[in-house]
Coordinates of all heavy atoms in Angstrom, one line a residue:
N18 N 114.0 101.7 55.0 CA 112.8 102.4 55.2 C 111.8 102.1 54.0 O 110.9 103.0 53.8 CB 113.2 103.9 55.1 CG 114.1 104.3 56.2 OD1 113.8 104.1 57.4 ND2 115.2 104.8 55.8
F19 N 111.9 101.1 53.3 CA 111.1 100.9 52.1 C 109.6 100.9 52.3 O 108.8 101.4 51.5 CB 111.4 99.5 51.5 CG 111.2 98.2 52.4 CD1 109.9 97.8 52.5 CD2 112.1 97.8 53.1 CE1 109.7 96.6 53.3 CE2 112.0 96.7 54.0 CZ 110.7 96.1 54.1
S20 N 109.2 100.5 53.6 CA 107.7 100.5 53.8 C 107.2 101.9 54.1 O 106.0 102.1 53.9 CB 107.4 99.7 55.1 OG 108.0 100.2 56.2
E21 N 108.0 102.9 54.3 CA 107.6 104.3 54.4 C 107.7 105.1 53.1 O 107.2 106.2 53.0 CB 108.4 105.1 55.5 CG 107.9 104.7 56.9 CD 108.8 103.5 57.5 OE1 110.1 103.5 57.3 OE2 108.2 102.6 58.0
I22 N 108.6 104.6 52.2 CA 108.8 105.2 51.0 C 107.7 105.1 50.1 O 107.4 103.9 49.6 CB 110.2 104.9 50.3 CG1 111.3 105.1 51.4 CG2 110.4 105.6 49.0 CD1 112.6 104.5 50.8
R23 N 107.0 106.1 49.7 CA 105.8 105.9 48.8 C 106.1 106.0 47.4 O 105.4 105.4 46.6 CB 104.7 107.0 49.1 CG 104.2 106.9 50.5 CD 103.2 105.7 50.6 NE 102.9 105.4 52.0 CZ 102.9 104.1 52.5 NH1 103.1 103.2 51.6 NH2 102.6 103.8 53.6
S24 N 107.2 106.8 47.0 CA 107.6 106.9 45.6 C 109.0 107.3 45.5 O 109.6 107.7 46.5 CB 106.6 107.9 44.9 OG 107.0 109.2 45.4
V25 N 109.5 107.3 44.3 CA 110.9 107.7 44.1 C 111.0 109.1 44.5 O 112.2 109.5 44.9 CB 111.3 107.4 42.6 CG1 112.6 108.0 42.3 CG2 111.3 105.9 42.3
N26 N 110.0 109.9 44.4 CA 110.0 111.3 44.7 C 110.5 111.4 46.2 O 111.2 112.4 46.5 CB 108.7 112.0 44.5 CG 108.9 113.5 44.3 OD1 109.8 114.0 43.6 ND2 107.9 114.2 44.9
D27 N 110.0 110.6 47.0 CA 110.4 110.6 48.5 C 111.9 110.5 48.6 O 112.6 111.1 49.4 CB 109.7 109.5 49.3 CG 108.3 109.7 49.4 OD1 107.7 110.8 49.1 OD2 107.6 108.8 49.8
I28 N 112.6 109.6 47.7 CA 114.0 109.5 47.7 C 114.7 110.6 47.3 O 115.7 111.2 47.9 CB 114.3 108.2 46.9 CG1 113.7 106.9 47.5 CG2 115.9 108.0 46.7 CD1 113.8 105.7 46.5
L29 N 114.2 111.3 46.2 CA 114.8 112.6 45.7 C 114.8 113.6 46.7 O 115.8 114.3 46.9 CB 114.0 113.0 44.5 CG 113.9 112.0 43.2 CD1 113.0 112.6 42.2 CD2 115.3 111.6 42.7
I30 N 113.8 113.8 47.4 CA 113.6 114.9 48.4 C 114.5 114.6 49.6 O 115.2 115.5 50.0 CB 112.1 115.0 48.9 CG1 111.3 115.5 47.6 CG2 112.0 115.9 50.0 CD1 109.8 115.4 47.9
S31 N 114.5 113.4 50.1 CA 115.3 113.1 51.4 C 116.8 113.1 51.0 O 117.6 113.2 51.9 CB 114.7 111.8 52.0 OG 114.9 110.8 51.1
H32 N 117.2 112.8 49.8 CA 118.6 112.7 49.5 C 119.1 113.8 48.6 O 120.3 113.8 48.2 CB 118.9 111.3 48.9 CG 118.8 110.2 49.8 ND1 119.7 109.9 50.8 CD2 117.8 109.4 50.1 CE1 119.3 108.9 51.5 NE2 118.0 108.6 51.2
F33 N 118.3 114.8 48.4 CA 118.7 116.0 47.7 C 119.5 115.7 46.3 O 120.6 116.1 46.0 CB 119.7 116.9 48.4 CG 119.0 117.3 49.8 CD1 119.5 116.7 51.0 CD2 118.0 118.2 49.9 CE1 118.8 117.0 52.2 CE2 117.4 118.6 51.1 CZ 117.8 117.9 52.3
V34 N 118.9 114.8 45.5 CA 119.4 114.4 44.3 C 118.4 114.5 43.2 O 117.2 114.4 43.4 CB 119.9 112.9 44.4 CG1 118.8 111.9 44.6 CG2 120.8 112.5 43.2
S35 N 118.9 114.8 42.0 CA 117.9 115.0 40.9 C 117.4 113.7 40.4 O 118.1 112.7 40.4 CB 118.6 115.8 39.8 OG 119.5 115.0 39.0
S36 N 116.3 113.8 39.8 CA 115.7 112.5 39.2 C 116.6 112.0 38.0 O 116.8 110.8 38.0 CB 114.3 112.9 38.6 OG 113.9 111.8 37.9
A37 N 117.2 112.8 37.3 CA 118.1 112.4 36.1 C 119.4 111.7 36.7 O 119.8 110.7 36.2 CB 118.6 113.6 35.3
T38 N 120.0 112.3 37.8 CA 121.1 111.7 38.4 C 120.8 110.4 39.0 O 121.6 109.4 38.8 CB 121.7 112.6 39.5 OG1 122.1 113.8 38.9 CG2 122.9 112.0 40.2
L39 N 119.7 110.3 39.8 CA 119.3 109.0 40.4 C 119.1 107.9 39.3 O 119.6 106.8 39.5 CB 118.1 109.2 41.2 CG 117.7 108.0 42.1 CD1 118.8 107.8 43.2 CD2 116.4 108.2 42.8
T40 N 118.3 108.3 38.3 CA 118.1 107.4 37.2 C 119.4 106.9 36.6 O 119.6 105.7 36.3 CB 117.0 107.9 36.2 OG1 115.9 108.3 36.9 CG2 116.8 106.9 35.0
R41 N 120.2 107.8 36.3 CA 121.6 107.5 35.7 C 122.3 106.5 36.5 O 122.9 105.4 36.1 CB 122.4 108.8 35.4 CG 123.6 108.5 34.5 CD 124.3 109.8 34.1 NE 124.7 110.6 35.3 CZ 124.3 111.7 35.7 NH1 123.2 112.3 35.1 NH2 124.7 112.4 36.8
W42 N 122.4 106.7 37.9 CA 123.1 105.8 38.8 C 122.6 104.5 38.8 O 123.2 103.5 38.7 CB 123.2 106.4 40.2 CG 124.1 107.6 40.5 CD1 125.2 107.9 39.6 CD2 124.1 108.4 41.5 NE1 125.8 109.0 40.2 CE2 125.2 109.3 41.4 CE3 123.2 108.6 42.7 CZ2 125.5 110.4 42.3 CZ3 123.5 109.6 43.5 CH2 124.7 110.4 43.4
F43 N 121.1 104.4 38.9 CA 120.5 103.1 39.0 C 120.7 102.3 37.7 O 121.0 101.1 37.8 CB 119.0 103.2 39.2 CG 118.7 103.3 40.7 CD1 119.0 104.4 41.5 CD2 118.3 102.2 41.4 CE1 118.7 104.4 42.9 CE2 118.0 102.1 42.7 CZ 118.1 103.2 43.5
R44 N 120.7 102.9 36.5 CA 121.0 102.2 35.3 C 122.3 101.8 35.2 O 122.6 100.6 34.8 CB 120.6 103.2 34.1 CG 119.1 103.5 33.9 CD 118.5 102.4 33.1 NE 117.1 102.7 32.9 CZ 116.1 101.8 33.3 NH1 116.4 100.7 33.7 NH2 114.9 102.1 33.1
K45 N 123.3 102.7 35.5 CA 124.7 102.3 35.4 C 125.2 101.3 36.4 O 125.9 100.2 36.0 CB 125.6 103.5 35.7 CG 127.0 103.3 35.5 CD 127.9 104.6 35.7 CE 129.4 104.2 35.5 NZ 130.2 105.5 35.6
Y46 N 124.7 101.4 37.6 CA 125.3 100.4 38.8 C 124.4 99.2 39.0 O 124.8 98.3 39.6 CB 125.6 101.2 40.0 CG 126.6 102.3 39.8 CD1 126.3 103.6 39.6 CD2 128.0 101.9 39.6 CE1 127.3 104.6 39.4 CE2 129.0 102.8 39.5 CZ 128.6 104.1 39.4 OH 129.6 105.1 39.2
L47 N 123.1 99.4 38.8 CA 122.1 98.4 39.2 C 121.3 97.8 38.1 O 120.5 96.9 38.3 CB 121.1 98.9 40.3 CG 121.8 99.4 41.5 CD1 120.9 100.3 42.4 CD2 122.4 98.4 42.4
H48 N 121.5 98.4 37.0 CA 120.7 98.0 35.7 C 119.2 97.8 36.0 O 118.6 96.9 35.6 CB 121.3 96.6 35.2 CG 122.8 96.6 35.1 ND1 123.5 97.3 34.2 CD2 123.8 95.9 35.8 CE1 124.8 97.2 34.3 NE2 125.0 96.3 35.4
S49 N 118.7 98.9 36.5 CA 117.3 98.9 37.0 C 117.0 100.5 37.1 O 117.8 101.3 37.1 CB 117.2 98.3 38.3 OG 115.8 98.4 38.8
S50 N 115.7 100.7 37.1 CA 115.2 102.0 37.4 C 115.0 102.2 38.9 O 114.8 101.2 39.6 CB 113.9 102.4 36.7 OG 112.8 101.7 37.3
P51 N 115.1 103.4 39.4 CA 114.7 103.6 40.8 C 113.5 103.0 41.3 O 113.4 102.3 42.3 CB 114.8 105.0 41.1 CG 115.7 105.6 40.0 CD 115.4 104.6 38.8
R52 N 112.4 103.1 40.4 CA 111.1 102.6 40.7 C 111.1 101.1 40.8 O 110.5 100.4 41.7 CB 110.0 103.2 39.8 CG 108.6 102.6 40.1 CD 107.7 103.2 39.0 NE 108.0 102.7 37.7 CZ 107.8 101.4 37.2 NH1 107.4 100.5 37.9 NH2 108.2 101.2 35.9
E53 N 111.7 100.5 39.7 CA 111.8 99.0 39.7 C 112.5 98.5 40.9 O 112.1 97.5 41.5 CB 112.5 98.5 38.4 CG 111.7 98.8 37.1 CD 112.6 98.6 35.8 OE1 113.7 98.7 36.0 OE2 112.0 98.5 34.9
Y54 N 113.5 99.2 41.4 CA 114.4 98.6 42.4 C 113.6 98.7 43.7 O 113.5 97.7 44.5 CB 115.6 99.5 42.6 CG 116.6 98.9 43.6 CD1 117.5 98.0 43.3 CD2 116.6 99.5 44.9 CE1 118.3 97.5 44.2 CE2 117.4 99.0 45.9 CZ 118.3 98.0 45.5 OH 119.2 97.5 46.5
L55 N 112.9 99.9 43.9 CA 112.1 100.1 45.1 C 111.0 99.1 45.2 O 110.7 98.4 46.2 CB 111.6 101.5 45.2 CG 110.6 101.8 46.4 CD1 111.3 101.7 47.7 CD2 110.1 103.3 46.2
E56 N 110.3 98.8 44.1 CA 109.2 97.8 44.0 C 109.7 96.4 44.4 O 109.1 95.7 45.1 CB 108.6 97.8 42.6 CG 107.6 98.9 42.5 CD 107.0 99.0 40.9 OE1 107.4 98.2 40.1 OE2 106.3 99.9 40.7
S57 N 110.9 96.1 43.8 CA 111.5 94.8 44.0 C 111.8 94.6 45.5 O 111.5 93.4 46.0 CB 112.7 94.8 43.0 OG 113.7 94.0 43.6
V58 N 112.4 95.6 46.2 CA 112.6 95.4 47.6 C 111.3 95.2 48.4 O 111.2 94.4 49.2 CB 113.4 96.7 48.2 CG1 113.4 96.7 49.6 CG2 114.7 96.7 47.5
K59 N 110.3 96.0 48.1 CA 108.9 95.9 48.7 C 108.4 94.5 48.4 O 107.8 93.9 49.3 CB 108.0 97.0 48.2 CG 108.4 98.4 48.7 CD 107.4 99.4 48.2 CE 107.7 100.8 48.7 NZ 106.6 101.6 48.9
L60 N 108.4 94.0 47.1 CA 107.9 92.7 46.8 C 108.6 91.6 47.5 O 108.0 90.6 47.9 CB 107.9 92.6 45.3 CG 106.8 93.5 44.5 CD1 107.1 93.5 43.0 CD2 105.5 93.0 44.9

Side-chain angles (χ1 to χ4, degrees):
N18 306 301
F19 62 86
S20 64
E21 285 90 46
I22 301 171
R23 293 286 163 226
S24 71
V25 172
N26 202 42
D27 292 350
I28 298 166
L29 301 175
I30 292 167
S31 61
H32 291 278
F33 307 104
V34 64
S35 74
S36 178
T38 298
L39 189 66
T40 300
R41 190 173 61 250
W42 282 345
F43 270 76
R44 288 274 178 236
K45 180 175 180 179
Y46 298 102
L47 303 166
H48 311 290
S49 172
S50 74
R52 182 185 53 76
E53 290 165 344
Y54 187 86
L55 178 60
E56 281 176 359
S57 145
V58 170
K59 290 180 177 210
L60 289 168

